[in-house]
Amino acid sequence: MSWLEYHSKTAHRAPRRTLCRALDLFEAEPAPSAASTTHSSALELGCGGGRDTVEMLRRGWSVLAIDSEPTAIDYLLRRSDLTHRERLTTECARFEAIPLPTSRLICSSFALPLCPPPSFFQLWSRIGDALLPGGRFAGHFFGERDSWNHGHAPHQGLTFVSADQAHDLLAPYQIEMFEEEESDSTTPRGESKHWHVMHIVAQKR
Ligand SMILES: C[S@@+](CC[C@H](N)C(=O)[O-])C[C@H]1O[C@@H](n2cnc3c(N)ncnc32)[C@H](O)[C@@H]1O
């Protein structure tokens, strides 16, 4: 299955609940007294066809959406439900290879683990540097019992972490959601798979 087919199949699903929880938590906070340009700036790493980007725009955020696949960015920009286009910037790039702007929200759904451990751990540290204090990360890690961790190519070059490692990575954050999911299902590409996924929302202290 090409990425274009993948995005056609998945991009119009509801926004991820990790993202929705982070947006709800921001909305429950008092508005910052001096609104700055960064106070509603969000960064999405691995935006795919845009199911989360569209929601962030709809809920008032300015979004820099990054994906390494040109088809993902094209798909996002052609969506009929894309609103507030003036608050969206897109970049076609590998997220481990570009500077990350200062942001109040960094969203990365099912995308960060798609790079090998050295890049993943460096990127995680750069996410922490880019987030403003009080800012939030919403996204997913892959757990070590995920079946892709036990296969061969093309799943080499991904990063899997234990729950303890995930908690170590989240030490600079207040954890607001940490749900480990283990389930057997079929991927949008039609592959049977054991998922071990950590659903995470965390606020930088
Ligand atoms: C599984 S899809 C998830 C898409 C979307 N975030 C969602 O939740 O449906 C992963 C996306 O990450 C992108 N991606 C994978 N590795 C990447 C990298 N190193 N840099 C930027 N984007 C990457 C892929 O092109 C793909 O669009």
Side-chain angles (χ1 to χ4, degrees), residues 35-192:
S36 69
T37 50
T38 49
H39 116 262
S40 59
S41 58
L43 171 64
E44 179 162 15
L45 303 175
C47 62
R51 63 196 278 187
D52 287 345
T53 293
V54 162
E55 181 67 359
M56 288 186 272
L57 291 166
R58 191 182 73 78
R59 290 176 70 166
W61 291 77
S62 298
V63 182
L64 169 58
I66 294 170
D67 203 286
S68 55
E69 284 293 322
T71 49
I73 304 289
D74 283 353
Y75 193 95
L76 164 62
L77 294 175
R78 287 169 199 263
R79 290 178 67 124
S80 57
D81 59 349
L82 175 63
T83 58
H84 305 289
R85 175 72 185 79
E86 72 286 356
R87 286 196 260 104
L88 172 64
T89 309
T90 57
E91 188 168 344
C92 188
R94 293 191 67 83
F95 41 58
E96 63 272 43
I98 55 162
L100 306 182
T102 302
S103 306
R104 190 148 174 258
L105 169 61
I106 298 184
C107 170
S108 188
S109 298
F110 289 82
L112 279 192
L114 303 179
C115 64
S119 306
F120 173 89
F121 291 111
Q122 268 175 23
L123 180 60
W124 181 252
S125 151
R126 292 195 302 119
I127 286 173
D129 293 341
L131 269 177
L132 290 164
R136 286 185 170 87
F137 170 80
H140 304 88
F141 295 165
F142 289 168
E144 59 194 353
R145 291 185 294 283
D146 194 284
S147 53
W148 283 350
N149 194 23
H150 306 292
H152 301 291
H155 301 308
Q156 285 169 353
L158 310 189
T159 300
F160 302 88
V161 294
S162 65
D164 284 349
Q165 260 179 312
H167 278 94
D168 287 347
L169 291 169
L170 290 165
Y173 296 78
Q174 173 77 35
I175 296 175
E176 298 174 314
M177 180 195 288
F178 187 90
E179 293 177 14
E180 264 186 280
E181 177 193 346
E182 290 206 49
S183 59
D184 293 297
S185 71
T186 305
T187 69
R189 296 177 191 277
E191 174 194 358
S192 298

